Amino acid sequence: MGANSAQIFGIIINVAILLVFFRFLMQLAMVSPYNPVVLSTVKATKIVDVFSRIFPTLAKGRVNTAALALLIVLYLLKIFGIMYLQGAMPNSPIHLLILTFVTMIQDLIRFCRYLIFATIILSWVTMLTQARSPYIEVIQELAEPLLAPFRKIMPNMGMIDLSPILAFLALYIAEILMNEVAKVLLTGL
């Protein structure tokens, strides 16, 4: 079918994945449900509510297993669809599952890096402009669970926050390890 149809399919499925992923992370990070960004994300991902009749929430409502199940289904569709449109079928269902979970974890690590980078930039924007928006609040609230463990390790240096540097380093190490695990798992099949 060609590279163009694979690209179009990839864009559409990536938008759906991103919306469901945002919904999952916003609930996990306990972002204020009254924030307009959260409200619009919940409205755009009503299909998660259909899945939530089957899958319960865990950890006092923080872990939305319905969104997680939908993410896995969307990633399976993405991997299989792109492979099919490019004419390369997976070797086995196990290969497809492993590739799906490896891709999910790699995308999560990449998203966390972007989130931390956005938090750094937006903290400077907020400081210089003295303006706050719902988007900035959501990004900062999503990044806080990532940065909080590193803030406990680092000494208090006043206005200088070095926890993003440690978080970047930890994510870089996790990405290297995940790439090595992916190579081992996918060459073994």
Side-chain angles (χ1 to χ4, degrees):
M1 297 211 179
N4 288 339
S5 54
Q7 275 185 326
I8 292 169
F9 175 76
I11 290 170
I12 292 169
I13 199 87
N14 281 334
V15 168
I17 287 171
L18 187 62
L19 283 171
V20 175
F21 189 59
F22 266 137
R23 179 161 176 176
F24 176 76
L25 286 180
M26 286 178 191
Q27 193 166 348
L28 186 66
M30 301 288 291
V31 177
S32 170
Y34 302 110
N35 187 308
V37 176
V38 176
L39 291 173
S40 61
T41 303
V42 168
K43 194 178 290 186
T45 56
K46 284 288 186 189
I47 192 161
V48 174
D49 297 333
V50 174
F51 275 76
S52 65
R53 295 180 186 141
I54 303 167
F55 299 103
T57 57
L58 303 174
K60 297 180 184 172
R62 290 183 75 171
V63 178
N64 190 340
T65 56
L68 195 57
L70 186 58
L71 272 174
I72 293 169
V73 168
L74 286 171
Y75 266 100
L76 275 168
L77 284 172
K78 175 186 173 180
I79 300 297
F80 182 77
I82 289 175
M83 289 177 92
Y84 177 77
L85 291 172
Q86 292 177 344
M89 293 305 290
N91 299 339
S92 68
I94 301 296
H95 179 252
L96 182 64
L97 282 174
I98 290 173
L99 191 58
T100 298
F101 284 109
V102 166
T103 305
M104 283 179 69
I105 294 170
Q106 288 173 331
D107 285 352
L108 174 67
I109 293 169
R110 189 175 308 117
F111 179 79
C112 290
R113 271 198 334 234
Y114 293 149
L115 188 64
I116 293 169
F117 184 71
T119 302
I120 294 168
I121 299 298
L122 291 175
S123 70
W124 283 93
V125 168
T126 303
M127 187 177 73
L128 295 174
T129 63
Q130 297 297 317
R132 305 250 331 148
S133 79
Y135 300 102
I136 292 173
E137 289 175 14
V138 166
I139 290 172
Q140 288 176 337
E141 287 182 45
L142 283 174
E144 187 55 33
L146 295 170
L147 298 175
F150 299 105
R151 285 195 180 116
K152 291 178 184 174
I153 296 171
M154 295 297 297
N156 188 359
M157 298 180 66
M159 289 190 62
I160 299 172
D161 184 12
L162 298 177
S163 61
I165 295 171
L166 285 178
F168 271 126
L169 181 63
L171 289 170
Y172 180 70
I173 292 169
E175 185 175 27
I176 290 172
L177 290 173
M178 194 62 223
N179 289 340
E180 291 301 317
V181 167
K183 285 180 192 174
V184 169
L185 288 175
L186 295 175
T187 55
L189 295 175

